[in-house]
Amino acid sequence: MIKEWATVVSWHNGQAKVSCDVKSSCSSCSSRAGCGSRVLNKLGPQTEHTIVVPSEQPLVVGQKVELGISEGSLLTSAMLVYMTPLFGLFVIAALFQLLFGSDVAAFAGGVLGGVGGFLVARGLSPKLASREAWQPVILNVGLPPDLLRVDTTSSELSQ
């Protein structure tokens, strides 16, 4: 199970809208100075992802929840997104090379196969995403933000 903490944006009728921050692993790597991935991460937008998760327990705006998704569903979706266009590219390029016998035809077949594989992945992803096993679930719920309060006395502040 892959876990991530999120912040509740809203809760209504058993549906919690939560926001997850995009994290970059570049802050913990020892080779930050010469890494190309760090440069690419700085170029891209640093956004938040907002998703809707079922929750029977009433939640408060600002409350932290721990979300979980199974590794199998994440790996399968990654395989679908990356391997389907790649498979289409190679298969259709090879087929066009065999049929027409030229590099230009192989290139055109590769482009058509890659685009076709992308369209196949795009068509299959909503069907797979609707599966119950592929949905994120709430594993743990943190305290509401207004429940915990720390009082300091004036004698503690002067020290």
Side-chain angles (χ1 to χ4, degrees), residues 12 32-33 38 54 66 75 113 146:
H12 185 55
R32 287 183 288 226
R38 184 169 191 255
E66 184 179 30
L75 290 174
D146 59 347

Side-chain angles (χ1 to χ4, degrees), residues 55-89:
S55 171
E56 294 302 321
Q57 178 181 356
L59 299 172
V60 179
V61 175
Q63 192 170 7
K64 296 285 188 179
V65 293
E66 184 179 30
L67 301 177
I69 190 167
S70 68
E71 289 97 350
S73 65
L74 189 65
L75 290 174
T76 306
S77 64
M79 291 277 292
L80 176 71
V81 168
Y82 289 110
M83 296 306 287
T84 307
L86 192 62
F87 181 75
L89 181 141

Side-chain angles (χ1 to χ4, degrees), residues 3-132:
K3 301 173 185 177
E4 184 67 37
W5 283 93
T7 306
V8 176
V9 175
S10 67
W11 182 86
H12 185 55
N13 291 336
Q15 297 289 322
K17 189 179 205 181
V18 296
S19 174
C20 302
D21 292 329
V22 175
K23 292 184 180 172
S24 173
S25 60
C26 289
S27 61
S28 61
C29 181
S30 62
S31 63
R32 287 183 288 226
C35 181
S37 294
R38 184 169 191 255
V39 173
L40 290 176
N41 282 337
K42 283 186 173 184
L43 293 176
Q46 300 297 322
T47 61
E48 296 178 344
H49 296 288
T50 304
I51 58 174
V52 177
V53 182
S55 171
E56 294 302 321
Q57 178 181 356
L59 299 172
V60 179
V61 175
Q63 192 170 7
K64 296 285 188 179
V65 293
E66 184 179 30
L67 301 177
I69 190 167
S70 68
E71 289 97 350
S73 65
L74 189 65
L75 290 174
T76 306
S77 64
M79 291 277 292
L80 176 71
V81 168
Y82 289 110
M83 296 306 287
T84 307
L86 192 62
F87 181 75
L89 181 141
F90 285 126
V91 168
I92 303 300
L95 183 66
F96 273 42
Q97 178 70 33
L98 286 174
L99 290 176
F100 301 110
S102 74
D103 290 339
V104 174
F107 175 75
V111 170
L112 287 175
V115 170
F118 171 75
L119 293 174
V120 167
R122 187 175 176 188
L124 286 176
S125 63
K127 294 174 185 155
L128 294 174
S130 64
R131 293 181 177 178
E132 184 70 28

